[in-house]
Amino acid sequence: MSRTDRADQKPTVLLVEDDPAHAEIVRRNFTSIGIPHRMDHVWDGEAALDYLMHRGSFGNGDSPPRPDLVLLDLRLPRLGGLGVLAAIKSDKRLESIPVVALTTSKAFDDLEQAYRLGVNSYLVKPLERNAFEALLTSLGYYWLQWNEQPHP
């Protein structure tokens, strides 16, 4: 089912980010582009997997929706982003969810391992705020409006 077939449903973004300032910039920028969406935010890798697998605090009552996109920092407490990515892409129920690494890491080993694990895109956060916001605007339009993807 394409996004146009789900016009009445807002896409859901799972933001996995431990830096409060970066999380706020992402949230504010995605809101400012005017594309209706739901953004859920978790602070560490274990919470991301709890959210995705409906366990722990996310397993009671109203389970969170399956995200249409995961924005994943690599430097996370409890379980790093590469561990989260490996878990997502090795789970048949989750493997088709697009995962975008949104990280400060320019390390070639991180980039190479992320692609080996199945990341859909790898973006390095620019240090300059205006450049970061411009990146997020393009990212938001691409994944929430322009990109077509199948849905279970």
Side-chain angles (χ1 to χ4, degrees), residues 40-110:
D40 292 335
H41 176 221
V42 295
W43 298 91
D44 65 63
E46 285 293 331
L49 292 182
D50 287 348
Y51 176 103
L52 291 164
M53 297 177 181
H54 301 142
R55 63 186 193 200
S57 63
F58 295 101
N60 305 334
D62 261 350
S63 294
R66 175 188 170 94
D68 296 283
L69 175 65
V70 175
L71 299 178
L72 179 64
D73 191 11
L74 295 188
R75 304 288 183 252
L76 297 168
R78 297 182 62 206
L79 176 64
L82 292 173
V84 174
L85 177 62
I88 292 170
K89 295 303 181 178
S90 66
D91 187 314
K92 292 292 181 197
R93 298 166 298 164
L94 305 174
E95 68 183 358
S96 66
I97 299 172
V99 178
V100 174
L102 186 60
T103 182
T104 56
S105 176
K106 291 184 178 184
F108 180 76
D109 288 344
D110 287 342

Side-chain angles (χ1 to χ4, degrees), residues 1-6 98 142-151:
M1 178 182 332
S2 73
R3 185 159 335 282
T4 54
D5 295 333
R6 299 179 346 135
Y142 180 81
W143 287 106
L144 298 181
Q145 187 168 5
W146 303 328
N147 185 59
E148 293 289 335
Q149 60 188 21
H151 294 278

